[in-house]
Amino acid sequence: MKRIPIVLFLALIVFMSGCISTKTTTVTTMAPAKTITVTETQGKVTTITITQTITTTTTPAHYPLTIVDSVGRKVTIKKEPRRIVSLAPSITETLYFIGALDKVVGVTKFDDFPPEVQKGRAVIGDFSNPNLEVIASLKPDLIIGTSMHLKYLDKLQQIAPVIIVDPKNMSEIYEWIIKLGKVVNREKEAEGVVNYMKAIVESVQAKVANSSRPKVFYLVGYWNGYWTAGRGTFMDSLISIAGGENIFHDIEGWKTVSAEDIVARNPDIVIISYHAGIKPGDLCNTPLAKTNAFKNGRVYVISDDNLVSRPGPRIVLGLEEIAYFIHPEAFNYAYQPKACAVSS
């Protein structure tokens, strides 16, 4: 499968960000004119008037800065944050891409990108249950979390200002990358990241624009039923952008569906989460083997669930992978069908 290497992805973002300088304002003022009288020999007097021009370059004040977070709270940042606690891997990744990882002093135990991101930083617990005592001991000047952390909001606010970041779609991911760039004084770097992400999205959309829209079923997990992604999830949005039709777009959020319902909707393509708890071959012994996807060998496994579940810059790499699955012909990607042995 053709996929842009992570290293190249990072290098291009850094290059684009580095080409953008900090905003400055140049002010030109006229100083009062000076008159100089010079007495020369032989009684001649010459008067010279000198006009002075003074040019000064200033950087506009960035703080205090007030933003509105994902739950409508107005949060004021009085000065540039130097010690940030990130309560979610997606937030840590975003800060990394916009060049602010050096400000992060605390991360969750699930943070794994960039590699060795936990090295030299305190681990403040897991994503859904952060350790408030550890967070307080780090003396942060900013805490960034998600809607998962609203139940801790009152106690977190006693430690430091708290921003809740909870984007629901690609447009909101862009918006929050820019907002976080403003918060940590890396706005131009954030704009470079968003521009590069948009370029990848537009490239995918252009390649699949004139293609048919095959029906897609996404299996996120197999625990007491078939868990799938409906409307309002990142996966539903990615399937649509990649030129497919989510067969469960009519349901909201993450839900369990029956094998009978999946067969009735007859997907052309099945995409399975890497951590779904079941392999494609195992499903050949289920009613799903009756679908076109299994009959034609159009069943795929996501290489890294984090690419499609974390609302950060790497989600565009997940989009590319899904597009390869749905429209391999548009990317010169040749899959090898492995159909189940299905009786008529």
Side-chain angles (χ1 to χ4, degrees), residues 218 271-274 300-305 308 321-322 325:
Y218 177 62
I271 300 175
I272 304 174
S273 163
Y274 186 82
Y300 307 96
V301 179
I302 288 284
S303 65
D304 183 355
D305 290 340
V308 297
E321 186 167 348
I322 292 169
F325 295 157

Side-chain angles (χ1 to χ4, degrees), residues 157-229:
Q157 287 183 126
Q158 294 174 17
I159 301 172
V162 181
I163 297 175
I164 300 299
V165 177
D166 201 17
K168 300 297 185 184
N169 52 50
M170 193 69 76
S171 295
E172 291 183 9
I173 293 175
Y174 297 152
E175 178 185 341
W176 266 111
I177 292 173
I178 297 296
K179 274 190 177 182
L180 288 179
K182 292 179 180 179
V183 167
V184 300
N185 202 16
R186 299 290 187 275
E187 187 173 359
K188 286 301 180 182
E189 291 84 346
E191 289 175 1
V193 171
V194 168
N195 288 338
Y196 190 73
M197 291 175 66
K198 288 181 176 180
I200 292 179
V201 172
E202 290 169 4
S203 174
V204 169
Q205 290 176 316
K207 289 179 179 178
V208 304
N210 298 319
S211 303
S212 61
R213 299 185 70 85
K215 296 186 294 182
V216 180
F217 170 61
Y218 177 62
L219 178 60
V220 65
Y222 184 70
W223 303 283
N224 298 320
Y226 298 89
W227 282 88
T228 193

Side-chain angles (χ1 to χ4, degrees), residues 109-185:
K109 69 179 184 180
F110 294 116
D111 284 57
D112 55 10
F113 189 90
E116 299 186 358
V117 67
Q118 294 183 15
K119 187 175 181 180
R121 295 180 174 83
V123 176
I124 53 85
D126 61 33
F127 171 61
S128 60
N129 187 30
N131 188 315
L132 299 180
E133 292 183 2
V134 174
I135 294 174
S137 71
L138 296 173
K139 301 185 184 306
D141 49 22
L142 180 63
I143 300 169
I144 309 177
T146 72
S147 58
M148 179 77 73
H149 306 107
L150 287 173
K151 57 185 176 181
Y152 304 105
L153 185 57
D154 290 341
K155 292 182 178 179
L156 288 170
Q157 287 183 126
Q158 294 174 17
I159 301 172
V162 181
I163 297 175
I164 300 299
V165 177
D166 201 17
K168 300 297 185 184
N169 52 50
M170 193 69 76
S171 295
E172 291 183 9
I173 293 175
Y174 297 152
E175 178 185 341
W176 266 111
I177 292 173
I178 297 296
K179 274 190 177 182
L180 288 179
K182 292 179 180 179
V183 167
V184 300
N185 202 16

